[in-house]
Amino acid sequence: MQHDDVIWDIIGNKQFCSFKVKTKTQNFCRNEYNITGLCTRSACPLANSQYATVREEKGQCYLYMKVIERAAFPARMWEKVKLSKNYEKALEQIDENLIYWPRFIRHKCKQRFTKITQYLIRIRKLTLKRRRKIVPLSRKVERREKRREEKALIAAQLDNAIEKELLERLKQGTYGDIYNFPVHAFDKALENQEEESETDSENEAEDDEDVGKKEFVAEDDVEESDLSDFEDMDKLKGSSDEEESSEDEDESEEEMEMEQTETQRKSKGKAPLKGPVRRKRAYVEIEYEQEREPTPKARGT
Amino acid sequence: MESSVNQNEAKPESVDSASAPVFPPTFSVSEIKNKQRRHLMFMRLKQEKRREKLSLKKKRRKEREALGDEAPPKPVPKTIENQRVYDETTVDPEDEEVAFDEGTDEFSAYFNRLTNPKVLITTSDRPRGRTVRFCQQLATIIPDSHVYYRRGLALKRIIPQCIARGFTYLIVINEDRKVPNGLVLCHLPDGPTAHFKVSSVRLRKEMKRRGKDPTKHTPEVILNNFTTRLGHSIGRMFAALFPHDPEFVGRQVATFHNQRDFIFFRFHRYIFKNEKRVGIQELGPRFTLKLRSLQKGTFDSKFGEYEWVHKRHEMDTSRRKFHL
């Protein structure tokens, strides 16, 4: 016999109900046939022998009914009625099937049916739109990647790499004439010239020895050609001296000035050493003399 | 019992802990059942090993000093870069095939100066503050770029519109939990699409010792360490983001540095102090990228033809093998 009150007395308040979920403020019912989802006297499917629900399966809504006559046959207890896809027609169907049933159950069935149709509509709308794909991240992998990234950052030495690259580009001249220290190109040209003058000075070194020595020559024997040679050697000696002294210096500005004068002199020195040389003798020789201790002659490395 | 024997041996040794304890050869620390004792023995073992190592080092150093100039050169330490597994697709600078490919690929139009880059930056749906600011800062760095917010538009529909308006690049920044974590770089007229994972984003505010905001001058581009074929194509992708002729007046440089498959992006302003020294100051955002996939056509997640996909189980197994 179905004693609803007794059943409710037991499972509702006093003893255990396996479908009941208790929270601080409310009790929920996990029974799949429950119409409201709450654990209350009028909504409990176990404690009411006459009960109805609306449930959906794969987008189709059904009305489930339970009456006391079938309480002894659990397999046939729930009667399933397929509801129409049309909203109003389905509501009429519910009314028709639940005629003379308690107001509460009728009302709640219709409410539930409305909610179900609403969420079905939303599902259909969303499946047509783009959906965000949620990809699970493996914590182990993420940690591993983070660590590898840190190590790679340390190994990269970014600042150094960038500076090196920029200096390379400066050397190769991608910046053109913007920066005022095109010293590298200048240096290279200088080096080439220095090599040439070195070979020259080597040749003249033997002659230089003669310059220092005092030789007594009669006035008549002094020829113009000898004089001219002497002057040229003087010039060349002076320039080689300056050149050697400039090698010791590191200051670019002074070096540049001296080099400029040097190249000027060299260019003039490279003029044909014949008659016009004597005319060039009249120009003002600009010598930069600096009082310095004789520094060891070491090429800057 | 073995453990008691060990304990008996250990006890007298615990008295004179100063001298190095001698362990019998069949002894192993893991056989002691008592945890405290085991820990103690293990610590002692470690100390002994450390002492040995130190003494070996000292000996070697003394030998070096004794030999003076004749000492053999110091052995080069092994680094991951040294030990890197040789990749067959590493590009030779003089490889003709590569040169030919590069002359005819999708970027050839850019490199032959036929097109100028025009970039569209957008995000995933509903971007949060950080992502929005990141997009804006990116837009200041990349000249001729526009930020548009995505309000639920499908990428497949945006792309034809972009092509119609003459954009050459589409950048989509994906956001997760209020932080940008992915980047899709799509070269527009039929170009390859690269999908990156973005990490360690630092916005301008968070930079230490940063300079003023970047100006509108076109920056120079530095691409470091892109050695393989894949790396080369990615490098070209990055290069094609920026206009050809950098304005040296601006003194700005954008760097993409690849190290162990992580691409670090930095944006600096440089100044040459003299011909041997340069000072750099970081402006602009910084972030790191890791390539996840490279697709041949424009963005199409379903039917796209993938040129390269990062397969974790195959590619992450070796610590010495890198793909970029």
Side-chain angles (χ1 to χ4, degrees), chain B residues 5 21 52 62 78 81 145 209 215 221 301:
Chain B
V5 166
E52 269 177 31
K62 273 204 194 128
K78 291 189 202 169
E81 280 78 27
S145 57
R209 290 185 278 272
T215 57
V221 180
S301 42

Side-chain angles (χ1 to χ4, degrees), chain B residues 59-213:
Chain B
K59 201 169 46 154
R60 227 181 265 157
R61 197 171 357 126
K62 273 204 194 128
E63 278 176 21
R64 270 197 99 78
E65 281 171 19
L67 284 177
D69 277 335
E70 303 164 348
K74 267 194 180 170
V76 179
K78 291 189 202 169
T79 63
I80 292 186
E81 280 78 27
N82 287 347
Q83 308 293 94
R84 177 177 173 174
V85 166
Y86 177 71
D87 200 333
E88 308 101 32
T89 60
T90 311
V91 171
D92 257 338
E94 289 111 32
D95 202 343
E96 286 169 3
E97 191 188 321
V98 173
F100 177 70
D101 275 342
E102 290 183 359
T104 51
D105 74 353
E106 293 106 353
F107 300 108
S108 55
Y110 167 80
F111 284 106
N112 295 334
R113 294 180 179 243
L114 291 172
T115 53
N116 277 328
K118 191 172 175 200
V119 180
L120 177 73
I121 302 182
T122 181
T123 64
S124 53
D125 282 338
R126 297 191 172 255
R128 313 296 290 186
R130 226 181 131 81
T131 315
V132 166
R133 270 179 284 153
F134 181 55
C135 286
Q136 285 165 353
Q137 292 185 5
L138 264 186
T140 55
I141 283 190
I142 304 178
D144 201 12
S145 57
H146 306 265
V147 180
Y148 283 105
Y149 292 114
R150 187 126 87 117
R151 290 140 110 257
L153 302 169
L155 271 184
K156 282 193 210 151
R157 280 198 212 130
I158 297 184
I159 287 180
Q161 285 185 21
C162 285
I163 298 179
R165 298 204 193 162
F167 281 97
T168 54
Y169 261 105
L170 173 67
I171 297 183
V172 183
I173 295 182
N174 187 45
E175 187 203 2
D176 177 52
R177 292 223 208 133
K178 309 183 192 172
V179 134
N181 76 343
L183 189 119
V184 174
L185 183 61
C186 184
H187 184 79
L188 272 181
D190 266 5
T193 311
H195 178 41
F196 296 95
K197 173 173 102 145
V198 169
S199 42
S200 329
V201 175
R202 295 262 174 288
L203 300 177
R204 244 179 241 145
K205 238 201 233 177
E206 298 153 13
M207 301 275 206
K208 298 184 187 170
R209 290 185 278 272
R210 72 172 160 103
K212 295 195 181 153
D213 286 338

Side-chain angles (χ1 to χ4, degrees), chain B residues 287-300:
Chain B
F287 51 92
T288 62
L289 301 169
K290 185 163 204 272
L291 182 68
R292 273 211 216 133
S293 68
L294 182 64
Q295 204 179 31
K296 262 232 144 88
T298 55
F299 181 72
D300 191 338

Side-chain angles (χ1 to χ4, degrees), chain A residues 41-186:
Chain A
R41 172 70 182 87
S42 44
C44 185
L46 304 175
N48 290 305
S49 27
Q50 192 186 46
Y51 198 77
T53 335
V54 176
R55 276 170 74 195
E56 68 96 17
E57 218 176 292
K58 295 189 191 144
Q60 262 292 337
C61 296
Y62 298 95
L63 174 66
Y64 289 81
M65 289 177 289
K66 164 174 119 159
V67 291
I68 197 168
E69 284 85 27
R70 293 197 301 269
F73 312 106
R76 287 178 255 158
M77 200 152 61
W78 290 96
E79 179 188 338
K80 190 168 157 179
V81 172
K82 185 167 167 180
L83 294 173
S84 152
K85 295 246 178 167
N86 187 336
Y87 182 69
E88 283 90 12
K89 279 216 190 109
L91 285 180
E92 282 171 13
Q93 268 179 312
I94 292 177
D95 264 334
E96 195 187 303
N97 279 306
L98 297 183
I99 198 170
Y100 307 131
W101 280 53
R103 213 182 7 224
F104 175 78
I105 290 192
R106 255 188 289 149
H107 186 232
K108 288 298 178 186
C109 273
K110 284 190 230 169
Q111 270 191 342
R112 198 178 162 93
F113 174 67
T114 313
K115 187 123 267 167
I116 287 176
T117 46
Q118 283 175 346
Y119 82 61
L120 283 176
I121 290 171
R122 206 209 250 152
I123 288 177
R124 274 180 243 135
K125 214 194 293 182
L126 284 179
T127 47
L128 292 175
K129 271 193 182 174
R130 299 170 301 117
R131 212 99 66 87
R132 229 180 226 215
K133 187 168 175 200
I134 297 189
V135 173
L137 293 175
S138 166
R139 212 174 304 169
K140 181 169 151 189
V141 171
E142 292 303 305
R143 251 192 283 152
R144 198 196 320 158
E145 299 245 308
K146 199 165 139 223
R147 189 154 169 79
R148 284 196 185 163
E149 188 191 320
E150 285 166 7
K151 298 277 178 175
L153 183 62
I154 295 173
Q157 295 178 341
L158 282 169
D159 289 341
N160 288 350
I162 296 176
E163 286 173 11
K164 231 198 274 182
E165 176 69 28
L166 287 171
L167 287 171
E168 274 284 323
R169 288 189 183 182
L170 181 66
K171 245 201 232 176
Q172 282 173 358
T174 44
Y175 297 125
D177 287 328
I178 307 177
Y179 295 106
N180 276 333
F181 21 79
V183 189
H184 285 278
F186 212 76

Side-chain angles (χ1 to χ4, degrees), chain B residues 40-55:
Chain B
L40 206 79
M41 300 309 269
F42 180 68
M43 288 288 131
R44 243 187 255 162
L45 191 78
K46 277 266 165 179
Q47 266 178 23
E48 189 192 308
K49 282 212 177 116
R50 224 179 289 153
R51 229 175 284 159
E52 269 177 31
K53 191 171 167 188
L54 255 175
S55 65

